[in-house]
Amino acid sequence: MQPAVLFLVSSIYLLSVASENIVLIITDDQDLTLDGMTPMTQTQNLIGQHGATFTNCFVASPICCPNRASILTGRYQHNHLTVNNTIAGGCSSAEWQQSQEPATFAALLRKVAGYKTFYAGKYLNEYGNGKVGGAAHVPVGWDWWAGLLGNSKYYDYSLSINGTERTYGNGTSDYFTDVISNLALDFINAHTGDQVPFLMVLAPPAPHAPFTPADRYNNKYNSTKAKRTPNFNIPVHQDKHWLVRHGPAPLPESVLSKLDEIYRRRWETLLAVDELVKTVYTSLKKRNLLHETYFVYTSDNGYHIGQFSMPMDKRQPYETDIRVPLLISGPGIVPATISAPVSSVDIFATLLDIAGVEYPSDGITLFKKHDNLPEDRTLLIEYRGERSKQRPSSGCPSDNDLNVTLCMKDMMCKCQDAANNTFSCIRRISPDFNNIFCVFEDNQKKISISVEIYRGLRSERRRISIDKYRVHHEKGAETQISPAIGENDGVSGGQLHSRGISEGKN
């Protein structure tokens, strides 16, 4: 790499001439707490064992569109203003396109560092909606664009291929993860011989609903059952927020068998993603490009299956939903398991750092040339709940209440989201603390604070309850401060041994 040079372009600093390639893989709803990385044997071998595995990576929002916006911009939800999966909530809205897309990592890497950029897969849930430009809209910063119109599917979907809609069917060759893999190979083949670095973002649908594995992986995990965590299908107490308390608990055996089926089919969808990673890795290796390519593997959010008797989804501030995989490998990265707390907003600064670009963000670069990553860090997690857009026809009593949504009759009419499922949390991890503090706008008449403090192997619990007390937000919304994630919520305590990617990059 050439000596560092400093350029100033509208608050953008180019610290060096970029030469390394970047491959970013973003899966959809892949958890870490429920062993969601188990099917990813080749990914763990090729990226994890040759690079850094982060065990405490948290999302900025436990839902697809807002956290994808945070990955793209390095900003928390209250700054990029994508608050849920709707256009009204900022998901691929006109405001997002005008104010945020020009400053994504792709736009900056292309404009400032001269990267050739490629995107294939799911972008944002409302991308391609006719109200916000349809398939003709290609986000700023992408040379090759193959963005999914709408939410994740495996068959019978449409892509925007550089602004032109292309429809795919239900044949074996149409399986979406495989199509992404083939498009990636096309890009690599076309790039061979170029002297400019490339950015490749691959965003497969797995393991998102409808949980459709490739035919070759059907029934691969036929005997697998959903992980029975300590908080799996337990009675829900009054210290949980309104949405979790809403509906029957525990769930009957007839529902648990369905959750087992969802769990194993999620794993089966991931096998094609694992194959995709190997295919791209092998292609770059054949072209002698591995020594100058960074791989980053993560998910947009986690997932719960049966925890606190909630059937399945995300959108909650518990470990299943907010903790995600993060693997990074590439030049100069020494294999390590890193327990320092990191966030999805850090990916933006890290990708820019690879290219020698500095730009303001809410995150930090995960490359630390002189110091380890901080062992004591407090991260922000935000979400604004959704309501039904129109009267549902699920056959549940809640069909008359537009303030709840995603209520499923075959799941005991448990609703997965509500307008008052709106919260802001601070998640702190340090050698002495392992806790979360949340403020909910759920119209309750109680503030309940519960803090878990871990010192080594000793756990101390403090609880303060104040009944008949109201806290009002600016718009008059009452607030409950939820209990912290405790021992039964899947958080392990103990001393953290943090290592940054200390050798950084060449």
Side-chain angles (χ1 to χ4, degrees):
M1 181 176 293
Q2 299 181 20
V5 182
L6 182 65
F7 296 93
L8 175 61
V9 184
S10 301
S11 300
I12 306 171
Y13 294 88
L14 180 61
L15 302 178
S16 60
V17 178
S19 61
E20 290 96 355
N21 307 309
I22 301 169
V23 178
L24 170 62
I25 300 112
I26 307 173
T27 54
D28 198 352
D29 290 1
Q30 186 177 9
D31 66 272
L32 183 64
T33 304
L34 301 183
D35 300 332
M37 285 297 291
T38 298
M40 312 301 294
T41 55
Q42 297 178 109
T43 300
Q44 293 188 76
N45 178 48
L46 298 175
I47 302 178
Q49 293 184 21
H50 290 85
T53 298
F54 292 81
T55 59
N56 283 313
C57 179
F58 296 91
V59 297
S61 182
I63 190 66
C64 302
C65 203
N67 201 58
R68 286 171 181 259
S70 290
I71 292 172
L72 287 162
T73 65
R75 297 176 177 179
Y76 282 119
Q77 174 178 297
H78 65 272
N79 285 328
H80 60 59
L81 302 181
T82 297
V83 298
N84 56 38
N85 284 345
T86 66
I87 293 177
C91 184
S92 200
S93 64
E95 292 79 6
W96 158 267
Q97 295 174 12
Q98 295 164 10
S99 65
Q100 302 299 322
E101 284 185 344
T104 63
F105 60 73
L108 297 173
L109 289 175
R110 183 174 182 266
K111 179 179 180 180
V112 181
Y115 271 68
K116 180 175 287 187
T117 58
F118 169 83
Y119 195 104
K122 175 179 172 178
Y123 179 55
L124 302 175
N125 296 53
E126 289 289 351
Y127 172 74
N129 190 306
K131 297 178 181 178
V132 287
H137 172 69
V138 176
V140 176
W142 300 101
D143 295 305
W144 288 40
W145 176 256
L148 175 68
L149 274 59
N151 205 358
S152 283
K153 291 184 177 181
Y154 298 84
Y155 295 103
D156 297 315
Y157 55 89
S158 294
L159 300 181
S160 168
I161 304 295
N162 297 321
T164 300
E165 183 172 349
R166 181 182 300 175
T167 301
Y168 293 78
N170 56 10
T172 301
S173 62
D174 295 316
Y175 190 72
F176 189 24
T177 302
D178 294 344
V179 169
I180 293 172
S181 182
N182 291 332
L183 289 170
L185 292 181
D186 290 343
F187 175 77
I188 292 171
N189 291 334
H191 183 79
T192 301
D194 285 0
Q195 298 302 310
V196 297
F198 66 79
L199 163 70
M200 177 187 296
V201 179
L202 308 176
H208 194 284
F211 320 117
T212 309
D215 289 344
R216 60 190 180 276
Y217 294 126
N218 256 323
N219 300 318
K220 176 71 173 180
Y221 293 107
N222 211 29
S223 60
T224 301
K225 289 189 175 184
K227 187 174 182 179
R228 266 55 173 176
T229 57
N231 56 8
F232 180 85
N233 201 34
I234 62 173
V236 179
H237 302 294
Q238 290 298 310
D239 62 356
K240 298 303 176 192
H241 63 285
W242 181 88
L243 181 63
V244 174
R245 300 199 316 267
H246 181 74
L251 300 168
E253 187 61 37
S254 60
V255 172
L256 300 188
S257 62
K258 295 174 184 175
L259 299 186
D260 289 335
E261 174 71 10
I262 290 169
Y263 186 89
R264 56 178 167 259
R265 289 182 70 81
R266 280 170 52 84
W267 275 19
E268 289 167 358
T269 66
L270 285 167
L271 292 173
V273 179
D274 199 40
E275 189 177 337
L276 177 155
V277 172
K278 182 181 179 181
T279 297
V280 171
Y281 186 97
T282 302
S283 179
L284 294 175
K285 183 177 182 180
K286 287 180 179 178
R287 289 160 178 78
N288 197 30
L289 292 174
L290 285 183
H291 69 285
E292 55 189 47
T293 300
Y294 286 92
F295 282 84
V296 180
Y297 182 96
T298 192
S299 175
D300 57 1
N301 51 258
Y303 208 73
H304 61 259
I305 302 181
Q307 283 64 45
F308 298 115
S309 298
M310 294 289 284
M312 85 292 185
D313 200 40
K314 48 268 185 179
R315 309 168 199 262
Q316 306 306 322
Y318 304 110
E319 294 294 274
T320 49
D321 298 29
I322 64 176
R323 190 186 289 265
V324 292
L326 178 61
L327 311 175
I328 303 178
S329 67
I333 297 181
V334 176
T337 298
I338 299 174
S339 57
V342 300
S343 170
S344 294
V345 296
D346 298 333
I347 293 174
F348 174 91
T350 303
L351 299 186
L352 294 188
D353 193 17
I354 291 172
V357 176
E358 286 190 356
Y359 189 81
S361 74
D362 294 329
I364 62 173
T365 175
L366 301 181
F367 290 104
K368 293 293 181 181
K369 296 181 179 179
H370 305 294
D371 301 311
N372 286 337
L373 293 170
E375 290 188 352
D376 188 343
R377 190 175 175 196
T378 300
L379 305 171
L380 181 62
I381 300 165
E382 304 170 283
Y383 179 62
R384 179 160 293 279
E386 297 179 33
R387 64 184 74 235
S388 296
K389 298 177 183 178
Q390 56 189 9
R391 182 172 177 174
S393 56
S394 67
C396 294
S398 56
D399 284 352
N400 294 319
D401 186 357
L402 294 180
N403 287 312
V404 295
T405 188
L406 300 174
C407 310
M408 297 169 285
K409 190 171 184 179
D410 63 344
M411 296 291 173
M412 301 299 293
C413 287
K414 296 276 280 193
C415 301
Q416 300 307 304
D417 205 2
N420 65 6
N421 185 41
T422 295
F423 53 82
S424 297
C425 303
I426 51 174
R427 179 74 172 91
R428 184 183 181 188
I429 288 186
S430 77
D432 293 321
F433 293 91
N434 187 0
N435 55 48
I436 190 167
F437 178 93
C438 295
V439 177
F440 276 84
E441 296 183 19
D442 59 359
N443 206 31
Q444 299 295 289
K445 298 180 180 180
K446 179 178 74 173
I447 296 178
S448 177
I449 305 173
S450 175
V451 180
E452 294 288 344
I453 303 175
Y454 294 87
R455 292 186 176 90
L457 297 177
R458 178 184 175 188
S459 175
E460 175 185 349
R461 185 178 182 92
R462 300 178 183 176
R463 175 177 293 279
I464 304 172
S465 294
I466 308 173
D467 293 318
K468 298 181 180 179
Y469 189 87
R470 295 171 181 261
V471 175
H472 295 273
H473 281 222
E474 292 180 356
K475 296 183 179 180
E478 296 164 346
T479 302
Q480 178 187 8
I481 301 173
S482 85
I485 293 179
E487 182 178 357
N488 288 334
D489 297 338
V491 178
S492 59
Q495 189 76 12
L496 294 175
H497 301 283
S498 171
R499 289 181 59 191
I501 308 181
S502 54
E503 282 70 19
K505 53 189 179 63
N506 292 336

